Amino acid sequence: MGPQDWILRADALENKNAQAECYKKAVALNPDSEDAHNALGKLYESERKFKQAIPEYEAVLRIKPDDMQAMLSLLSLYKNTGMEEKTLDLYQKLAKADPKRADDYSSRAGAIAEKQGSDEKALAIYQKLLEKNRGNIDARQKTIKLYEKSKKWDKVIEHVKVLIDLDPKNADLYLYLSDICYKKNDLTGALAAAEKAQKLRPNDSSIFVQLAVLSEKAKKNDQAIDFYQKAVKTNSKKN
């Protein structure tokens, strides 16, 4: 009997153990039998023998590296068994194999890298996403978060300015830029960003407070008093 004969015989059986033995014989006769490894992997997976199923699907990928079904099966198995590094690598392979979902797979790989504390790896993944699509807001925000974590304020500012280019009427982005400039000890930049936020939201008392605090820090006391008064006046109108 050849490999395919053992596979057909296994398919005709109901006993799982007997099926497994038939598939194993098919594999022994032809270690490069994609069908035999797939069948054995599915059998083990159906019995929740995840650690036994994994090598079978991995064997399928050695034979046929772009087998989407094997990759998706492995993805589930890696997750179920807590194999984060292999899950990350597989997401990156899936991103290459499935262009339509590439951004989603890459983003998930980046999230795992972050979880593992591999910030540089996560940044490299997000950077590739941004090179592909400058308007990928999710990747941009995650990049900002990582740079803020490491207090690389110039990098944070660089990426926040891109977000502002994409959404120039977003007052919250200017307020965030103002906060980052202040953390960088750039009072001039912080005030300029807050002023732009105020022009976009002229009746926001919280922006006047931001301007007042920054003006006070810059020792512009008269200006600070004026902004505090405007904050009180604006707030009282709301009440």
Side-chain angles (χ1 to χ4, degrees), residues 84-154:
E84 286 189 343
E85 191 63 37
K86 286 196 171 187
T87 303
L88 190 158
D89 290 339
L90 190 52
Y91 271 132
Q92 291 181 298
K93 288 177 183 176
L94 281 163
K96 292 179 181 178
D98 186 357
K100 289 183 179 179
R101 296 194 61 193
D103 286 4
D104 178 52
Y105 287 135
S106 293
S107 183
R108 289 174 186 271
I112 292 173
E114 284 190 65
K115 184 180 176 183
Q116 292 178 327
S118 303
D119 291 354
E120 289 302 318
K121 185 182 287 187
L123 280 169
I125 291 169
Y126 297 142
Q127 187 58 44
K128 285 183 180 179
L129 283 169
L130 292 173
E131 287 169 4
K132 179 182 173 184
N133 178 13
R134 182 174 181 265
N136 188 323
I137 304 301
D138 181 65
R140 185 79 60 186
Q141 290 175 333
K142 287 177 177 177
T143 298
I144 289 170
K145 175 185 168 187
L146 286 169
Y147 280 133
E148 187 172 1
K149 178 181 172 183
S150 57
K151 298 183 179 181
K152 293 182 179 178
W153 306 125
D154 286 335

Side-chain angles (χ1 to χ4, degrees), residues 6 20 23 41 48-49 59 62 67 72 81 90 94 101 112 115 131 135 155 160 166 196 202 205 214 219 237:
W6 283 109
Y23 291 138
R48 300 188 66 79
K49 295 178 180 178
R62 283 195 294 273
D67 190 308
L72 291 172
T81 52
L90 190 52
L94 281 163
R101 296 194 61 193
I112 292 173
K115 184 180 176 183
E131 287 169 4
K155 284 290 186 180
V160 173
L166 295 169
K196 287 179 181 177
S205 60
L214 291 171
K219 300 189 185 303
K237 284 182 179 178

Side-chain angles (χ1 to χ4, degrees), residues 214-232:
L214 291 171
S215 297
E216 194 173 356
K217 295 286 184 183
K219 300 189 185 303
K220 298 179 179 180
N221 294 332
D222 290 342
Q223 188 171 294
I225 291 169
D226 182 51
F227 284 132
Y228 278 127
Q229 289 174 336
K230 287 179 178 177
V232 172

Side-chain angles (χ1 to χ4, degrees), residues 170-175 192-202 204 207:
N170 190 326
D172 290 324
L173 287 175
Y174 281 108
L175 278 174
E195 285 167 359
K196 287 179 181 177
Q198 192 275 323
K199 287 179 182 178
L200 290 166
R201 285 216 302 261
D204 191 322
I207 296 177

